[in-house]
């Protein structure tokens, strides 16, 4: 039922303070974390990851389904609330801040969202996640699927910031992925500009997450490969990619 | 197949089937006279159904403003109450609702004075006498014509349409809004419910279904993704954002999980024919609510409780988001809903007992008696039991309809339509 072989880097590190008892600060959150069985937190983490992937894929569905997106987002919020109460959320975000997230991960969303508005909002703090969030919000207002609730537009609050950060966690820490860099090296940024998006080239926004997804499937959890819906999405995207590349 | 509904006509019975391609197919029951039949109440029908008419309801469209394709897939069909010889039905895709007139022509006027048989004008000098044109029978021709197009009323995907008991208005509901239309006016609609938050980031609940009360033209109900039902009275205010009654079952803290909200989302809501009860379907159960009691359902029927332990897999493969419909029989004594593996469930409200039936061509020949099926959940295993892990989740029975006065049901299964008839009690005993 649950994906096997999932890398549990940060929930493992979340459990570490439990063993090092001299950490006074971590003690209170550790006490909470200790009450959770590790299998439960594993399951919860896996559910969180799965939900975030689903939200990302919502953009790429032929028929974006608002009800489904709302239900998945509520599930994510619920998990986040519980993890915040347990203190495991703090641990995760702290670990995330400590980890060096590879810059190329951010390229994916940046390429997606390269709009003139994004430049205007570049005055925001250079923190990676708020940057992502801002550009994702821009994308959501300009993307073809904007009437449908894009996950980003309501992940954009403080919740969204952390959730987005969590999503990034799924990619293992450095070294930067050469495959991903290669993928983006010959992509023409102007391909994703405002005009292209608004003239209905839905395949454009799909490219970003698709590549992200591809990198996910190469390093990420087997949850993805075991999900038949993801596989069928990938098949569709293969087809779309062929068309794009072919033209 | 995306929507079914029965109607009752003088000749027979027909219902439309909206499918992904935007086509509506109307079937009609063939009647043959069986002069020597001794069965009381036997209409003498052969039980065969043929295609009465088929028409293209919606075409694929493109929203230029949002650069979005609008699918022609029909989400819902509803017949209007019949007022004259013609039948009217409403069909909707994600954005646009259309009113169709289905009429028959089996007569043709002949003997015009000024035109000949082919319709060409006659030379007046050749006319020596006057005749009265007469109607002569011809082959039956079914004409379906679009009469109204109700466009631009919805920003989000339309999930329900419901004709009011006044016969003049209807409602259409999308994820966040409900509009009321007059059947004769296409350029205006009234927004009667709007749950769109000022900030879309705050969105946590959507409308999943809506229906007018069968008798009271001022009452309607809508269901939400959080498992609530709201009864609204249009006399209270123009915008019915404040419900008259809120129906919600208190959550059982013992069975709470991360999937609790998703499985509580109501996929379909139907008033009983009496107008006294509501039938709702959520992922694992079907519930009957008494309009006079908003604290909780009066009856709960387990459709496939054995799936509760599989919710995570069903979330992973998206099956947990499947929207099953539910229906009442004509006397409100039986309710029916679909499940997986081509199974559907019928519950007798008086006894509370449920039965599982299968809509699958391989296992049922025409006119064969449907045998009941069982999903094995423990205890003594009987022959024919199906294990939970062998259920085919791609074979889902989402859409179904029960004839308004007879014990005939229509079940949509993937690409097939099944019609089942109760031979023992063809007419429902009315109370």
């Amino acid at each position: 039922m649950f994906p096997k072989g999932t890398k549990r880097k940060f929930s493992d590190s979340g459990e570490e303070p439990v063993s090092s008892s001299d950490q006074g600060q971590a003690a209170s959150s550790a006490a909470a974390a200790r009450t959770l069985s590790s299998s439960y937190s594993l399951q919860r983490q896996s559910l969180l990851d799965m939900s975030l992937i689903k939200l990302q894929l919502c953009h790429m569905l032929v028929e974006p389904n608002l009800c489904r997106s709302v239900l998945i987002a509520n599930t994510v919020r619920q998990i986040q609330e519980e993890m915040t109460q347990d203190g495991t959320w703090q641990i995760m975000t702290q670990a995330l801040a400590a980890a060096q997230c590879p810059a190329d991960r951010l390229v994916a969303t940046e390429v997606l969202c390269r709009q003139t508005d994004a430049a205007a909002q570049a005055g925001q703090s250079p923190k990676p996640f708020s940057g992502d969030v801002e550009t994702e919000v821009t994308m959501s207002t300009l993307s073809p699927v904007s009437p449908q609730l894009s996950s980003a537009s309501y992940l954009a609050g403080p919740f969204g910031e952390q959730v987005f950060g969590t999503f990034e966690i799924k990619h293992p820490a450095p070294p930067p992925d050469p495959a991903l860099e290669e993928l983006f090296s010959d992509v023409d940024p102007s391909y994703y500009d405002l005009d292209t998006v608004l003239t209905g080239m839905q395949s454009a926004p799909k490219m970003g997450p698709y590549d992200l997804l591809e990198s996910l499937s190469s390093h990420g959890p087997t949850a993805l490969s075991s999900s038949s819906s993801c596989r069928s999405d990938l098949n569709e995207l293969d087809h779309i990619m062929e068309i794009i590349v072919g033209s | 197949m995306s929507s079914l509904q029965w109607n009752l006509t003088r000749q027979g019975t027909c219902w439309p089937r909206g499918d992904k391609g935007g086509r509506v197919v109307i079937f009609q029951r063939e009647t043959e006279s069986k002069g020597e039949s001794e069965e009381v109440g036997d209409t003498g029908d052969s039980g065969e159904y043929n295609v009465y008419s088929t028409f293209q309801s919606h075409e694929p469209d493109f929203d230029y403003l949002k650069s979005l394709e609008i699918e022609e897939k029909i989400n819902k069909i509803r017949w209007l109450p019949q007022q004259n010889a013609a039948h009217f039905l409403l069909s909707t895709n994600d954005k646009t609702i259309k009113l169709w007139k289905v009429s028959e022509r089996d007569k043709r006027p002949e003997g015009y004075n000024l035109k000949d048989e082919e319709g060409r004008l006659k030379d007046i000098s050749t006319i020596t006498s006057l005749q009265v044109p007469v109607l002569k029978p011809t082959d039956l021709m079914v004409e379906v014509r679009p009469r109204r197009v109700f466009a631009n009323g919805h920003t989000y995907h339309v999930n329900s349409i419901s004709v009011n008991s006044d016969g003049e208005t209807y409602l259409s509901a999308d994820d966040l809004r409900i509009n009321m239309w007059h059947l004769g006016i296409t350029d205006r609609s009234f927004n009667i419910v709007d749950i769109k938050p000022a900030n879309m980031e705050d969105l946590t609940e959507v409308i999943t279904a809506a229906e007018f009360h069968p008798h009271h033209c001022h009452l309607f109900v809508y269901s939400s993704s959080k498992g609530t039902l709201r009864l609204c009275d249009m006399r209270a205010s123009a915008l019915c954002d404040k419900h008259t009654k809120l129906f919600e079952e208190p959550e059982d803290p013992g069975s709470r999980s991360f999937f609790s909200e998703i499985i509580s989302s109501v996929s379909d809501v139907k008033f009983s024919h009496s107008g006294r009860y509501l039938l709702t379907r959520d992922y694992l159960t079907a519930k009957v609510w008494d309009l006079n009691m908003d604290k909780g359902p009066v009856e709960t029927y387990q459709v496939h409780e054995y799936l509760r332990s599989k919710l995570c897999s069903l979330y992973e493969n998206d099956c947990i988001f499947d929207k099953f419909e539910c229906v009442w029989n004509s006397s409100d004594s039986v309710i029916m809903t679909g499940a997986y593996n081509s199974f559907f469930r019928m519950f007798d409200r008086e006894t509370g007992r449920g039965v599982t039936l299968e809509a699958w061509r391989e296992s049922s020949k025409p006119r064969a008696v449907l045998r009941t099926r069982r999903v094995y959940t423990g205890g003594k295993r009987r022959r024919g039991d199906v294990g939970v892990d062998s259920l085919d989740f791609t074979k889902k029975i989402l859409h179904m309809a029960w004839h308004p006065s007879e014990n005939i049901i229509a079940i949509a299964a993937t690409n097939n339509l099944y019609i089942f008839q109760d031979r023992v009690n063809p007419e429902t005993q009315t109370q």
Side-chain angles (χ1 to χ4, degrees):
Chain A
M1 198 188 297
F2 294 101
K4 298 187 177 63
T6 315
K7 289 190 185 161
R8 290 284 163 243
K9 205 177 173 77
F10 289 96
S11 38
D12 283 346
S13 65
E15 316 247 71
E16 277 172 18
V18 176
S19 49
S20 53
S21 51
D22 54 351
Q23 306 283 324
Q25 199 183 22
S28 54
S29 51
R34 222 179 297 137
T35 59
L36 287 172
S37 72
S38 65
S39 74
Y40 175 79
S41 56
L42 264 175
Q43 289 173 4
R44 187 174 60 183
Q45 184 69 45
S46 148
L47 185 61
L48 180 63
D49 299 334
M50 205 196 306
S51 305
L52 290 168
I53 291 168
K54 279 183 187 296
L55 281 177
Q56 277 286 317
L57 289 180
C58 276
H59 289 293
M60 296 146 71
L61 284 179
V62 174
E63 217 182 289
N65 189 331
L66 187 60
C67 184
R68 184 172 168 272
S69 308
V70 168
L71 288 172
I72 298 171
N74 289 352
T75 308
V76 169
R77 268 201 200 93
Q78 222 185 307
I79 298 173
Q80 188 219 355
E81 272 165 27
E82 199 182 275
M83 288 176 83
T84 309
Q85 281 166 15
D86 292 337
T88 45
W89 191 268
Q90 309 287 86
I91 295 163
M92 198 163 60
T93 49
Q94 278 163 17
L96 177 65
Q100 280 161 24
C101 247
D104 59 279
R105 291 290 170 269
L106 304 175
V107 173
T109 48
E110 211 204 335
V111 162
L112 260 183
C113 313
R114 198 159 302 171
Q115 322 281 6
T116 47
D117 288 13
Q121 285 170 357
Q124 298 284 329
S125 76
K127 247 185 84 170
F129 305 118
S130 58
D132 279 348
V133 160
E134 289 301 340
T135 49
E136 273 292 287
V137 167
T138 315
M139 181 205 159
S140 71
T141 53
L142 293 166
S143 81
V145 294
S146 65
Q148 320 304 330
L149 185 64
S150 85
S151 57
S153 71
Y154 58 100
L155 290 180
F159 156 81
E161 208 170 67
Q162 290 167 338
V163 164
F164 219 63
T166 313
F167 186 55
E168 296 294 310
I169 290 173
K170 277 328 293 165
H171 311 297
D177 180 6
L180 193 59
E181 277 186 340
E182 204 184 278
L183 272 170
F184 284 103
S185 61
D186 51 7
V187 163
D188 176 13
S190 68
Y191 192 73
Y192 301 97
D193 71 14
L194 189 58
D195 290 331
T196 321
V197 167
L198 283 184
T199 51
M201 303 256 320
Q202 281 184 286
S203 46
K206 283 179 187 175
M207 209 175 198
Y210 170 67
D211 297 317
L212 204 58
L213 198 61
E214 211 178 47
S215 68
L216 266 182
S217 58
S218 53
H219 329 284
T222 50
L224 209 49
S225 48
S226 64
S227 164
S228 55
S229 66
C230 287
R231 193 176 284 135
S232 63
D233 285 331
L234 282 175
N235 287 338
E236 276 174 39
L237 290 163
D238 267 329
H239 180 62
I240 292 168
M241 284 304 295
E242 273 169 32
I243 296 169
I244 295 168
V245 169
S247 61
Chain B
M1 234 172 294
S2 56
S3 190
L4 302 179
Q5 215 204 358
W6 283 102
N7 191 9
L8 182 61
T9 74
R10 270 176 275 158
Q11 312 97 307
T13 327
C14 49
W15 76 97
R17 179 189 83 173
D19 58 16
K20 278 196 170 32
R23 296 196 65 75
V24 173
V25 183
I26 305 175
F27 291 86
Q28 178 170 276
R29 182 161 58 182
E30 291 302 311
T31 54
E32 48 174 76
S33 53
K34 277 200 227 164
E36 265 113 65
S37 167
E38 284 173 18
E39 290 173 86
V40 175
D42 189 6
T43 57
D45 72 281
S46 62
E48 298 290 322
Y49 288 81
N50 290 318
V51 176
Y52 174 72
S53 177
T54 170
F55 62 95
Q56 186 74 27
S57 172
H58 287 73
E59 300 282 348
D61 207 346
F62 196 79
D63 183 336
Y64 296 95
L65 195 61
K66 295 172 191 134
S67 298
L68 259 184
E69 240 186 51
I70 301 169
E71 290 216 330
E72 74 276 23
K73 177 175 86 79
I74 296 177
N75 297 334
K76 276 288 178 327
I77 308 169
R78 286 288 178 264
W79 287 107
L80 265 59
Q82 192 179 4
Q83 287 169 341
N84 50 39
H87 301 287
F88 288 87
L89 78 86
L90 284 170
S91 68
T92 183
N93 67 354
D94 284 339
K95 292 280 186 270
T96 305
I97 304 131
K98 291 187 185 177
L99 178 69
W100 298 88
K101 180 177 177 183
V102 183
S103 51
E104 283 181 4
R105 200 143 47 114
D106 60 356
K107 294 187 200 20
R108 199 170 79 100
E110 273 178 26
Y112 283 107
N113 290 294
L114 298 175
K115 288 187 284 185
D116 64 17
E117 295 307 313
E118 276 84 51
R120 288 185 297 237
L121 284 173
K122 280 188 198 170
D123 182 1
I124 297 182
S125 56
T126 63
I127 300 172
T128 53
S129 60
L130 282 179
Q131 57 183 349
V132 178
V134 290
L135 290 174
K136 292 254 169 72
T138 62
D139 290 336
L140 180 66
M141 252 181 24
V142 180
E143 292 178 332
V144 184
R145 288 218 199 86
R147 298 303 296 226
R148 304 267 189 277
V149 178
F150 304 93
N152 303 318
H154 290 279
T155 312
Y156 301 94
H157 289 183
V158 177
N159 54 50
S160 311
I161 45 177
S162 174
V163 184
N164 205 349
S165 52
D166 64 10
E168 289 183 355
T169 56
Y170 74 95
L171 64 76
S172 58
D174 65 29
D175 295 315
L176 297 178
R177 296 193 180 97
I178 302 180
N179 293 335
M180 188 170 90
W181 306 78
H182 189 283
L183 284 165
I185 300 170
T186 58
D187 60 356
R188 235 179 312 156
S189 74
F190 292 98
N191 177 238
I192 52 178
V193 173
D194 189 340
I195 63 168
K196 181 172 189 230
N199 192 348
M200 279 297 264
E201 289 174 19
D202 299 331
L203 181 66
T204 57
E205 193 173 8
V206 299
I207 297 170
T208 51
E211 197 179 59
F212 266 121
H213 191 281
H215 310 308
H216 301 303
C217 56
H218 51 88
L219 285 179
F220 67 93
V221 71
Y222 70 92
S223 59
S224 81
S225 56
K226 284 199 170 163
T228 63
L229 301 170
R230 285 177 171 81
L231 184 71
C232 299
D233 189 332
M234 294 194 292
R235 299 172 302 186
S237 68
L239 189 60
C240 298
D241 279 359
K242 279 199 166 49
H243 49 263
T244 302
K245 264 198 176 163
L246 174 69
F247 296 83
E248 193 173 12
E249 185 171 23
E251 202 186 352
D252 172 16
S255 63
R256 178 148 181 76
S257 76
F258 287 119
F259 305 110
S260 294
E261 187 185 303
I262 300 179
I263 62 168
S264 73
S265 174
V266 174
S267 54
D268 194 16
V269 64
K270 294 264 171 41
F271 275 101
S272 64
H273 292 89
S274 61
R276 166 115 188 252
Y277 297 101
L278 279 168
L279 173 63
T280 60
R281 176 72 156 96
D282 50 65
Y283 192 63
L284 296 178
T285 70
K287 295 184 165 111
V288 175
W289 306 72
D290 186 328
L291 278 185
N292 301 317
M293 201 182 81
D294 52 9
K295 294 288 174 284
V298 292
E299 294 155 33
T300 302
Y301 299 96
Q302 304 294 339
V303 180
H304 37 207
E305 178 67 13
Y306 46 78
L307 295 183
R308 193 179 285 273
S309 56
K310 310 271 178 196
L311 291 178
C312 197
S313 318
L314 294 163
Y315 179 71
E316 196 179 351
N317 64 16
D318 276 352
C319 281
I320 207 173
F321 301 107
D322 286 336
K323 292 189 193 250
F324 293 96
E325 287 174 9
C326 52
V327 292
W328 296 89
N329 75 336
S330 49
S331 61
D332 299 337
S333 58
V334 177
I335 60 163
M336 182 170 73
T337 188
Y340 295 107
N341 207 68
S342 306
F343 288 166
F344 58 100
R345 301 267 278 149
M346 257 193 226
F347 296 95
D348 183 328
R349 289 184 62 212
E350 277 158 70
T351 63
R353 282 181 43 236
V355 70
T356 304
L357 299 164
E358 188 178 20
W360 181 235
R361 206 178 11 186
E362 304 301 324
S363 60
S364 52
K365 290 172 290 203
R367 299 164 187 278
V369 174
L370 265 185
R371 59 192 178 99
T372 62
R373 304 301 312 270
R374 221 169 73 117
V375 176
Y376 177 67
T377 51
K380 184 164 189 232
R381 194 174 181 131
R382 282 189 246 152
R383 204 166 76 95
D385 280 4
V386 180
V388 180
D389 293 320
S390 0
L391 291 174
D392 188 338
F393 290 93
T394 61
K395 298 204 181 84
K396 19 193 139 192
I397 308 280
L398 302 174
H399 309 290
M400 50 182 34
W402 201 305
H403 193 281
S405 58
E406 295 178 43
N407 281 341
I408 313 175
I409 57 177
I411 310 277
T414 322
N415 292 321
N416 295 314
L417 185 66
Y418 293 86
I419 301 164
F420 300 107
Q421 192 162 340
D422 187 346
R423 286 290 183 189
V424 176
N425 295 307
E427 306 290 332
T428 312
Q429 325 293 343
T430 47
Q431 286 154 349

